[in-house]
Amino acid sequence: MADRSKSPDGVLSAPLSPRHVAIIMDGNGRWAAERGLPRAAGHKAGVEAVRRTVKAAIELSIPCLTLYSFSSENWSRPRDEIDYLMGLMKRFIRGDLAELHQNNVKILVIGERSDIDQEMLALIDEACDLTRDNTRLTLTIAFNYGARNEITRAAQRLAEDVAAGRLSPSEITVDHFRLALDTGDLPDPDMLIRTSGERRLSNFLLWQSAYTELVFLDAYWPDFGRELLIEAITQYNSRERRFGGLPSRSTA
């Protein structure tokens, strides 16, 4: 079990960081409602939490950070809220891309590209192309994303390979399927955090999270940052990951 240790000045250092942290950013609307503010204010504050979290991930040497920004089910929200969220995403890319690139952050965007307007697609492609060779942090944005849709699209890709004679059904392995997913180039998440007190995955990284440690925090997403990230990592480090086996120190 890893733990925090004291630095020479007596301050607790951050715990050892996992390789890949995924986050369901939940609670923007409730954060705003509790303050008598419109939902848009919560979403705007949520963007600031994204900036704090990316900065903290870099400082804590986390190689991969995946954020659930807009689900395929979110299209059922009111049109004005959707338009505001799309505008926030565009402004984030335009306003933060240069700094992210300067900080050696690689950007990936996963999810279904249908229903996304051409301006947004162009911005996404620009961000991914500009940062493709960066190595300090891989920031993956799950946008218009749903895990069931992702798994279905992966199955369709493999079916196309079978139909074209490039692969036989008996040759399909877990690794084939993993590589066909949107996250094929990423390690599976070691830890998945959900804010706002909700305790469900909400169609996020269902395949990839088979052995992921789940951490549920009561704080709303706009209040998230370095301190809460360290709290979650501390929880993660207190657990013993067995992947279906026995602990290594066990004599059973």
Side-chain angles (χ1 to χ4, degrees):
M1 170 180 145
D3 202 350
R4 292 188 292 174
S5 59
K6 286 188 177 181
S7 61
D9 60 4
V11 177
L12 282 174
S13 62
L16 298 176
S17 298
R19 291 184 309 161
H20 185 177
V21 175
I23 306 180
I24 300 175
M25 307 180 292
D26 195 18
N28 290 350
R30 279 167 285 171
W31 180 91
E34 289 185 4
R35 289 160 177 75
L37 300 171
R39 289 178 62 85
H43 294 313
K44 184 177 181 180
V47 173
E48 292 304 317
V50 169
R51 293 188 175 108
R52 291 194 301 270
T53 304
V54 171
K55 180 180 179 182
I58 292 171
E59 292 171 350
L60 296 171
S61 299
I62 296 171
C64 300
L65 176 67
T66 298
L67 304 178
Y68 200 9
S69 69
F70 189 85
S71 81
S72 52
E73 287 81 18
N74 286 155
W75 293 108
S76 63
R77 293 187 178 189
R79 186 71 239 179
D80 59 343
E81 183 173 359
I82 291 172
D83 290 343
Y84 185 79
L85 288 168
M86 295 296 144
L88 276 181
M89 178 74 167
K90 292 174 183 178
R91 288 195 293 276
F92 176 77
I93 295 174
R94 291 191 180 104
D96 292 64
L97 179 57
E99 183 176 355
L100 290 168
H101 184 44
Q102 184 178 7
N103 285 322
N104 200 17
V105 175
K106 178 179 181 178
I107 298 173
L108 297 177
V109 179
I110 62 172
E112 180 60 67
R113 291 174 69 93
S114 63
D115 300 322
I116 305 299
D117 69 63
Q118 291 302 310
E119 180 186 10
M120 179 73 80
L121 288 175
L123 287 170
I124 288 171
D125 289 341
E126 177 187 356
C128 295
D129 290 343
L130 177 66
T131 63
R132 68 170 61 253
D133 296 324
N134 292 344
T135 58
R136 190 173 188 183
L137 168 71
T138 297
L139 173 62
T140 304
I141 306 296
F143 183 73
N144 195 26
Y145 173 88
R148 289 178 174 176
N149 175 273
E150 177 192 26
I151 291 168
T152 299
R153 287 186 284 107
Q156 290 169 343
R157 292 186 188 110
L158 292 176
E160 289 169 358
D161 285 342
V162 170
R166 294 187 292 268
L167 191 67
S168 71
S170 62
E171 291 175 328
I172 297 174
T173 65
V174 169
D175 279 341
H176 279 108
F177 205 95
R178 177 183 63 81
L179 292 170
L181 294 168
D182 294 353
T183 56
D185 293 331
L186 298 173
D188 289 341
D190 298 297
M191 175 176 65
L192 189 152
I193 303 167
R194 181 167 187 156
T195 56
S196 86
E198 302 292 347
R199 285 161 169 77
R200 57 181 178 273
L201 292 179
S202 295
N203 201 21
F204 182 51
L205 300 182
L206 298 182
W207 173 281
Q208 299 88 336
S209 298
Y211 286 101
T212 298
E213 295 295 327
L214 307 180
V215 177
F216 300 108
L217 302 177
D218 290 331
Y220 295 135
W221 175 248
D223 293 324
F224 197 86
R226 180 188 172 93
E227 183 177 338
L228 286 172
L229 180 58
I230 289 176
E231 178 183 325
I233 294 173
T234 302
Q235 282 195 45
Y236 167 82
N237 281 323
S238 72
R239 302 178 186 180
E240 189 169 39
R241 305 186 75 196
R242 303 184 186 184
F243 301 97
L246 295 173
S248 57
R249 66 171 178 269
S250 173
T251 58

